[in-house]
Amino acid sequence: MVKFSVLVAVYNAEKYLKRCLDSLSQQTLKDIQVICVDDASTDNSSLILKEHARRDSRFFVLSLDQNYGPGHARNAAMQYVEGEYVCFVDSDDWLDCETLEKAYSVFVDYPCTDCVLFDVIYHYDDASKDCHYPMEPFDVKSGYDAFCDSLTWKIHGVYAVRSTIQKQYPYDETCRIYSDDNTTRIHYYVSREVRRTSGIYYYYQNPSSVTHRASTSQYDYLIANRSMKCQLLSLGVSLDIINIYENVMWLNVVDLYMFYYLHRRKNSLEENRYGMSIIYESWKNIEYKKLTPLNRYKFGYNPLPGHWKLFRLEEECYFFLKRLFRRCH
């Protein structure tokens, strides 16, 4: 059996793709499989993938007929997975040459471990700004603790997982972006143990990526949140998990209102209406009684259930005062 399968979703990544693919070819763990999915690229990505696969038989290229997004592309790749463990590498990111070998060693040394987090380094065009993901050191976490920590980003979502878990809980395709966070959290939750490795994943901070642009797609984070809650309910998780996640969802509603407040003058009327409709749906469906007292009663965070216009007035005043305060200091 192949030890590791690596999923690489590719869309118009010709500028960075060779760096990514070379890092996988150069892994010290040789018994690997790399499944590259060309998500209907319009640049030279397809040619680069096919040339690399011609030179390295461990690479397999799958081409999609239209652009679906990374979640769908990774799920399409899963039907070809042969590895005992699986991970993704984004097409503009890359791995240190020992990363997969180090992750594999953790799985072998600790048979109850189901997920292994990589050591993530944020890489910038100005390399002097490179830095590690700010995660407190740990040896092992329960799946429950890893799930809770992932909700507030105490731990990141760049990891390897047993392929049996990945196949049982595929990538959430609710949204083109952000839904993959849901899958990560489910994988953590169902894990017996979650550990980490010193193997490095270089996470390129691409200024042109969707997650680094102020676009209306960021409202989709709330849609992904609602999908996550449905998945948790279907898993029959404990009430304390639901309560924790309800509060996370609510804080995201407030954060996205702030995004709307800061960017509405730059966006079109149609874009603003779309964003506000997403915020409204999430506000309407928040279970008020599950929120902590701080999230119920603090100015700027009180949902004021049943009073949408009053809630909007509260948010407008709150973010106006925050902006005014910053200017005064």
Side-chain angles (χ1 to χ4, degrees), residues 244-272:
I244 290 169
Y245 196 68
E246 198 73 27
N247 281 270
V248 169
M249 289 172 63
W250 177 241
L251 293 178
N252 289 336
V253 172
V254 176
D255 284 347
L256 265 298
Y257 199 104
M258 179 177 69
F259 175 83
Y260 165 82
Y261 181 87
L262 294 175
H263 297 282
R264 60 187 170 191
R265 289 183 176 84
K266 304 173 188 175
N267 295 331
S268 67
L269 181 61
E270 182 180 354
E271 289 172 327
N272 286 332

Side-chain angles (χ1 to χ4, degrees), residues 270-288:
E270 182 180 354
E271 289 172 327
N272 286 332
R273 283 176 175 168
Y274 171 77
M276 193 49 59
S277 69
I278 299 299
I279 293 172
Y280 171 74
E281 283 300 315
S282 295
W283 168 84
K284 184 176 67 174
N285 289 293
I286 283 293
E287 296 185 64
Y288 176 73

Side-chain angles (χ1 to χ4, degrees), residues 109-315:
D109 292 344
Y110 302 97
C112 288
T113 294
D114 294 317
C115 284
V116 173
L117 277 68
F118 298 124
D119 183 9
V120 171
I121 292 181
Y122 287 142
H123 176 75
Y124 296 83
D125 288 329
D126 178 358
S128 66
K129 296 180 180 179
D130 286 6
C131 60
H132 286 264
Y133 184 93
M135 184 169 68
E136 292 184 4
F138 72 90
D139 292 323
V140 60
K141 291 181 182 287
S142 67
Y144 174 91
D145 288 342
F147 170 84
C148 292
D149 286 349
S150 72
L151 296 177
T152 54
W153 300 105
K154 289 181 181 178
I155 64 173
H156 57 66
V158 185
Y159 63 108
V161 61
R162 291 185 184 275
S163 58
T164 50
I165 291 178
Q166 179 71 72
K167 290 176 180 178
Q168 186 176 1
Y169 302 99
Y171 285 101
D172 183 348
E173 297 182 36
T174 304
C175 304
R176 291 177 64 86
I177 55 174
Y178 304 123
S179 293
D180 57 345
D181 293 341
N182 295 349
T183 304
T184 296
R185 288 159 179 165
I186 293 295
H187 288 174
Y188 290 162
Y189 180 76
V190 300
S191 292
R192 292 166 296 174
E193 292 179 354
V194 175
R195 294 181 182 268
R196 59 183 302 180
T197 173
S198 61
I200 299 172
Y201 182 109
Y202 290 96
Y203 192 155
Y204 177 50
Q205 299 301 285
N206 189 342
S208 63
S209 70
V210 175
T211 54
H212 288 87
R213 296 198 310 266
S215 73
T216 53
S217 63
Q218 291 182 268
Y219 294 114
D220 291 351
Y221 198 66
L222 297 181
I223 299 175
N225 283 175
R226 296 204 294 269
S227 173
M228 181 70 193
K229 183 177 177 181
C230 290
Q231 292 177 68
L232 292 174
L233 291 172
S234 68
L235 283 171
V237 302
S238 59
L239 183 59
D240 65 320
I241 287 284
I242 296 297
N243 289 345
I244 290 169
Y245 196 68
E246 198 73 27
N247 281 270
V248 169
M249 289 172 63
W250 177 241
L251 293 178
N252 289 336
V253 172
V254 176
D255 284 347
L256 265 298
Y257 199 104
M258 179 177 69
F259 175 83
Y260 165 82
Y261 181 87
L262 294 175
H263 297 282
R264 60 187 170 191
R265 289 183 176 84
K266 304 173 188 175
N267 295 331
S268 67
L269 181 61
E270 182 180 354
E271 289 172 327
N272 286 332
R273 283 176 175 168
Y274 171 77
M276 193 49 59
S277 69
I278 299 299
I279 293 172
Y280 171 74
E281 283 300 315
S282 295
W283 168 84
K284 184 176 67 174
N285 289 293
I286 283 293
E287 296 185 64
Y288 176 73
K289 293 182 179 179
K290 287 184 167 59
L291 301 183
T292 64
L294 182 62
N295 288 337
R296 276 197 228 178
Y297 304 121
K298 180 182 175 182
F299 177 64
Y301 290 82
N302 189 330
L304 299 169
H307 301 282
W308 170 242
K309 291 183 178 179
L310 192 58
F311 169 71
R312 287 202 61 183
L313 178 61
E314 174 193 21
E315 297 305 284

